Amino acid sequence: AQTFGALGWLRGANKTLYADMERILDAATNLALGSQRRRITDNEFKYIRSIDTDLMLKHLQSVDDDALAIGQGNEKASLRRTCTDTIRALGHLQGIGWGWISFKGETAQLHSAALHPSLRAGSGIILDATAGLYPGYGLLSPPATLISAAEDTRRYEHVTLHLAWGQVAGKESLAREAKRLWPQYRAAIQSNLSSGERVLVCCHEDFERAVYDDADNSTEVTFAHYGNIDGSNDWNDYEAVALIGLHHLPAAVHINTAQALLGPQSDQWLQDADARTVGTNGDIVAAMQRAHLAITAVQAATRVRCRKVIDDRGHCLPTKIFIALPSNTDGRAVYSAILNYMPGVQVKTWAFNAGRKRARSDRGIKKLLDFVSGLPRGGVCTKAQVRVSAKIGAASLDRAIRVLNDPETNERSQLAALGITYHLRIGRGAESFFKRA
């Protein structure tokens, strides 16, 4: 939106070009078509193809920064980079030839993906120590052949995993509460360290920013954030590492990757987890999300001296790992990955609960459950009827349905116990509905 606004100068320079941009912006963000993920329609893509991105970039080069600036004085910043990146992204979208739309609130985001040519020939070598965790390799054609390290190449009996369950792991929650949580994390970590032992703290970048300059931080504490640690040997002589939070990526990243591997998918695939079953993975997008969390946790945990072998039996020097996990599918996937990729690791309960996640009541879910439980045997109620009769907002209802469709939730079990199922329907005039057996 910033790019299209900043390029308002094109209205006078090229009215047809500017009109094309307005049409694609209006079409792609048309909430009348729904705010769920969906494919870009053929008609919308016609507008995308009509945009002359080369001409736009040429015009952009002739405009000075003042014409593309926002803010004033010291806060003044040029949008040239934003404009250039967005126009080039549209060019890539045109080249790929298809795309899909997701929404964050009422903001539309356009996506597309293509498999890198080097991965299409079925040859080559990928060096990935945690390849066995990632289901995407099995979607290559032909599927990648995984070659595991010889048994007992590495042993971690000298590593102690200090584990706390039931903790907050999301970026937004941790960043929001960083000032309150960090002193408690720090005290709980330091109480298990000997004098002079150094600890690498792996966390979200926003959390790191909030606590980096805390006056009570000791010189033995070093921070690094997710996305900037994989493969690094900068801390390979540190005695301890602490993982604060898990490295969640937006779902769109995994949806893009899955479609790069599988090819473009339908609206139903984008919207319905049950339609994304691939092999034994269930929802392939959810499987990729969990795998990413597990992989980044293992990568972070092995940044310190446990990564160095010190004898012919594969042992390392004594190392301490501190991790606080949520008590859900994500947390269990991370724990299982650590046990699998760090054979022999010693697990110890970590007495830490400052970030314990409190159960939160979602009124939308309660309203939905209360309403559908009143359906008679064989009764049917459309999604639209539920929204009006139960007085649930559209966003709240969509959120409630996502929870009820997750087989790991208690709410899904309650729905099943009532004999109620949700049936997603896609297409013009089609209505999704609830039915009681």
Side-chain angles (χ1 to χ4, degrees):
Q2 281 185 325
T3 295
F4 283 91
L7 293 179
W9 46 267
L10 277 174
R11 185 186 296 276
N14 191 315
K15 291 183 179 180
T16 300
L17 183 58
Y18 192 84
D20 285 342
M21 290 193 297
E22 287 185 320
R23 281 199 296 272
I24 179 56
L25 188 62
D26 290 341
T29 60
N30 183 5
L31 290 175
L33 296 176
S35 59
Q36 289 184 302
R37 301 171 189 142
R38 62 177 179 85
R39 285 284 299 276
I40 295 175
T41 67
D42 291 342
N43 194 47
E44 290 167 346
F45 222 98
K46 178 183 71 175
Y47 293 137
I48 290 177
R49 289 193 182 95
S50 74
I51 297 174
D52 190 335
T53 55
D54 289 337
L55 178 60
M56 292 171 69
L57 290 171
K58 183 178 179 180
H59 274 293
L60 190 60
Q61 291 174 354
S62 65
V63 178
D64 61 33
D65 281 346
D66 286 340
L68 297 169
I70 57 173
Q72 295 180 348
N74 293 334
E75 300 298 322
K76 194 173 184 179
S78 172
L79 288 176
R80 183 177 300 278
R81 178 67 180 272
T82 300
C83 293
T84 302
D85 289 349
T86 304
I87 296 168
R88 286 176 177 165
L90 280 172
H92 290 315
L93 187 63
Q94 292 170 336
I96 293 171
W98 68 275
W100 61 282
I101 299 172
S102 68
F103 289 84
K104 187 173 184 180
E106 294 189 358
T107 300
Q109 300 172 320
L110 276 64
H111 314 271
S112 191
L115 194 64
H116 193 277
S118 66
L119 297 174
R120 295 175 185 154
S123 63
I125 296 173
I126 301 171
L127 300 179
D128 185 349
T130 51
L133 291 171
Y134 190 59
Y137 292 129
L139 302 183
L140 289 168
S141 183
T145 299
L146 301 184
I147 302 174
S148 301
E151 189 174 354
D152 290 336
T153 299
R154 302 293 301 269
R155 299 298 304 173
Y156 294 91
E157 283 90 350
H158 299 161
V159 177
T160 302
L161 176 66
H162 296 263
L163 175 63
W165 284 106
Q167 310 300 311
V168 171
K171 174 182 176 179
E172 292 182 2
S173 298
L174 285 168
R176 186 172 57 248
E177 297 290 324
K179 297 287 188 181
R180 177 182 68 85
L181 290 175
W182 170 237
Q184 297 176 65
Y185 267 108
R186 182 177 56 211
I189 293 167
Q190 291 178 337
S191 67
N192 288 280
L193 295 178
S194 300
S195 177
E197 287 187 326
R198 294 158 299 175
V199 58
L200 170 66
V201 177
C202 297
C203 55
H204 301 105
E205 188 172 9
D206 289 345
F207 187 97
E208 178 186 6
R209 272 199 212 98
V211 305
Y212 184 84
D213 291 326
D214 190 315
D216 292 326
N217 292 340
S218 71
T219 56
E220 283 77 30
V221 176
T222 299
F223 291 95
H225 57 263
Y226 291 118
N228 195 39
I229 57 176
D230 291 2
S232 176
N233 288 310
D234 292 349
W235 313 283
N236 63 3
D237 56 351
Y238 277 48
E239 293 82 6
V241 58
L243 278 60
I244 299 178
L246 298 177
H247 186 30
H248 293 86
L249 291 176
V253 173
H254 305 292
I255 293 172
N256 256 350
T257 303
Q259 290 184 99
L261 291 160
L262 297 169
Q265 300 294 307
S266 66
D267 283 0
Q268 183 173 6
W269 187 94
L270 290 168
Q271 297 173 13
D272 184 3
D274 291 338
R276 296 195 291 263
T277 298
V278 177
T280 60
N281 289 303
D283 177 4
I284 187 62
V285 173
M288 286 180 164
Q289 288 175 320
R290 287 193 296 271
H292 173 77
L293 295 176
I295 289 167
T296 52
V298 171
Q299 286 282 346
T302 54
R303 289 308 94 200
V304 291
R305 70 182 189 180
C306 60
R307 67 186 290 99
K308 294 195 296 185
V309 175
I310 61 171
D311 60 31
D312 58 4
R313 297 182 61 192
H315 289 123
C316 61
L317 289 170
T319 308
K320 297 170 184 176
I321 300 172
F322 301 89
I323 186 167
L325 293 174
S327 299
N328 57 18
T329 307
D330 292 343
R332 292 193 294 273
V334 170
Y335 179 56
S336 176
I338 291 175
L339 294 183
N340 187 36
Y341 279 84
M342 302 185 74
V345 64
Q346 305 297 303
V347 182
K348 183 178 180 180
T349 299
W350 185 24
F352 173 76
N353 62 5
R356 185 171 298 279
K357 191 170 185 177
R358 298 172 177 85
R360 182 177 65 179
S361 174
D362 191 315
R363 288 182 294 177
I365 294 175
K366 185 177 187 305
K367 284 182 178 181
L368 176 55
L369 284 171
D370 288 346
F371 182 81
V372 296
S373 65
L375 287 175
R377 298 292 179 185
V380 174
C381 186
T382 68
K383 180 181 175 182
Q385 289 171 333
V386 171
R387 187 168 62 247
V388 174
S389 300
K391 298 180 180 178
I392 307 175
S396 182
L397 180 57
D398 286 341
R399 184 168 59 248
I401 289 172
R402 285 196 296 271
V403 172
L404 294 173
N405 278 336
D406 184 348
E408 300 291 336
T409 62
N410 292 329
E411 290 82 1
R412 172 66 175 264
S413 299
Q414 294 177 50
L415 204 67
L418 291 168
I420 296 169
T421 52
Y422 176 66
H423 301 263
L424 178 69
R425 294 293 181 265
I426 304 291
R428 186 179 297 275
E431 289 191 278
S432 300
F433 63 91
F434 292 89
K435 182 176 181 180
R436 187 166 191 175

